[in-house]
Amino acid sequence: MNTIQKLNIARSLELFDEAKKLVPGGVLGARKPSDFIEGQYPIFLEFGKGSRLTDVDGNEYIDFLCGYGPIILGYREEEVDEAVIRQIRDKGFCFTLTQRYQNQLAKKLNELVPCSEMSIFLKTGSDATTASVRIARAYTNRIKVMRCGYHGWHDWCVEMKGGIPEKFYEDVYEFRYNNLQQLEELMVKYGDQTAAIIMTPFGHPNHQKMEEPQPGFLEGVRKIATRFGAVLIFDEVRTNFRLSMGGAQKLYGVTPDLSVLGKSMANGYAISAVSGKTEVMMAASQKLFISSTFFPNSDGFVAALKTIEILEREHVIDNIWEKGDRFLKKVRNIIGKYNVGAELTGVAPMFYITFKKDTSNTYRGRRDDFYTLLIRRGIFLHPHHHGYISYRHTEQDLDITANAIDEALAYVNEKYPNKTS
Ligand SMILES: Cc1ncc(COP(=O)(O)O)c(C=O)c1O
């Protein structure tokens, strides 16, 4: 380890010390230092361009977190930023009434997303998953919800329950991805009271290996939802405009009743959506109230329209799959050379390297050493979160990353011989 120098993150640490007096914990939520490897990762960033980020100490990284998902093209993508700047300068974006871009974007989603016939637009993924559940409850006049995956920080679904009365989530039941039997059992018990089954159509649970749907899984969920009259919601906040232009539902050929979109729709600008079947979506106008000061602001709409235009024009998703497949093949071969318990899961646009748990519990050390070496080499991958590949990742970025992975695994292999079972 000492052959590769520890990063100089002095300015990050200084800012963090100051932040702790200003913001509870210094940094809120998933970006806090203890969620990475404390003392090894930077805490504050200064700027980014393309696939690269630079922190406040001047260290540069090839970044695979992509802002936790929204960056599908690259950081500071000029065409998108220019469109937004023009909108702000020439027309304005925050008004008393709605601008016409909502119609354009809703039409575009109808073209691209299989279940989409009508849409509502919000700002964050959490806004939209919560709205989708409310719509399903209003439409069915039922209360219970089956859920699978991370759906944001709101009361009904967040993992840490501090500050939330039990009654806010007592009607929400969790099932495991790819476990149709568990869902079937829950639905046999509660199906006639169930408003919605909400799930990520691709398995990307927090801190765990990624899972593709097993044959028949998504089709099975679809059948169960229909059988019990529950609204099937795909939470495609991470997967739409990433696995395909129409999300995982398009890729795997299973159509939900509602879909939730966010993150990469606007290359970093805040906008999210619930799209779906007219009959269900109409509940949003007839039976409930969803409104917020900032929802109609057009910066997000303009950014989304421009981002989607570029994604289509330049066949961005194909590009990501092609170079990502080559990269993952290389990484898989590298992992195969070493007996360190490393596992590569996911698919080209979203991938994750985890370490098998072992009886001697050295996997934590192996994982932390591996990711520490990567960050020191300027590769921003996350020990507890999968990575993404964006349009602006170059073949050279991916080669540098593969070499760094090789070097880091060789080190781990030497330090922890035969400790993987
Ligand atoms: C699948 C999924 N749903 C919902 C959310 C919540 O989105 P946001 O963080 O924009 O509120 C996330 C965020 O990571 C997500 O990955």
Side-chain angles (χ1 to χ4, degrees), residues 145-149 157 159 172-176 182 186:
V145 172
M146 306 295 151
R147 58 164 281 240
C148 171
C157 62
E159 209 170 292
V172 179
Y173 303 81
E174 213 174 335
F175 66 98
R176 245 200 70 72
Q182 192 186 13
L186 280 167

Side-chain angles (χ1 to χ4, degrees), residues 99-248:
Q99 288 174 285
R100 62 194 155 83
Y101 309 101
Q102 71 149 27
N103 297 14
Q104 276 172 259
L105 188 55
K107 278 193 248 175
K108 198 74 214 167
L109 296 185
N110 289 354
E111 255 177 56
L112 295 170
V113 180
C115 76
S116 178
E117 294 171 0
M118 292 191 111
S119 299
I120 58 169
F121 297 100
L122 312 94
K123 283 288 165 219
T124 71
S126 301
D127 291 341
T129 55
T130 296
S132 73
V133 166
R134 191 182 298 176
I135 291 169
R137 282 174 162 162
Y139 172 71
T140 56
N141 284 317
R142 297 174 180 177
I143 291 174
K144 293 195 187 298
V145 172
M146 306 295 151
R147 58 164 281 240
C148 171
Y150 178 74
H151 308 296
W153 67 274
H154 288 183
D155 289 355
W156 62 276
C157 62
V158 74
E159 209 170 292
M160 282 181 84
K161 302 296 187 202
I164 309 172
E166 202 177 325
K167 60 182 152 206
F168 288 5
Y169 55 84
E170 67 190 7
D171 289 303
V172 179
Y173 303 81
E174 213 174 335
F175 66 98
R176 245 200 70 72
Y177 192 80
N178 273 331
N179 193 333
L180 201 55
Q181 197 186 334
Q182 192 186 13
L183 176 65
E184 168 84 27
E185 281 165 15
L186 280 167
M187 290 296 277
V188 164
K189 218 161 158 186
Y190 302 118
D192 60 346
Q193 304 161 59
T194 298
I197 300 172
I198 178 168
M199 61 179 296
T200 62
F202 190 87
H204 47 70
N206 287 344
H207 312 289
Q208 290 168 47
K209 288 195 287 188
M210 307 184 85
E211 283 181 65
E212 288 186 74
Q214 281 166 8
F217 174 60
L218 294 177
E219 293 81 353
V221 175
R222 174 68 274 182
K223 272 193 198 138
I224 290 174
T226 306
R227 189 168 110 220
F228 288 95
V231 174
L232 178 60
I233 307 168
F234 279 179
D235 178 351
E236 298 240 34
V237 166
R238 287 189 213 185
T239 45
N240 212 96
F241 301 116
R242 218 168 246 290
L243 293 191
S244 88
M245 293 298 284

Side-chain angles (χ1 to χ4, degrees), residues 308-326:
I308 294 169
E309 181 191 318
I310 299 170
L311 292 175
E312 288 190 304
R313 186 185 71 214
E314 303 195 16
H315 307 288
V316 168
I317 306 297
D318 290 344
N319 168 281
I320 289 172
W321 274 96
E322 280 159 26
K323 69 189 173 196
D325 275 338
R326 279 195 295 278

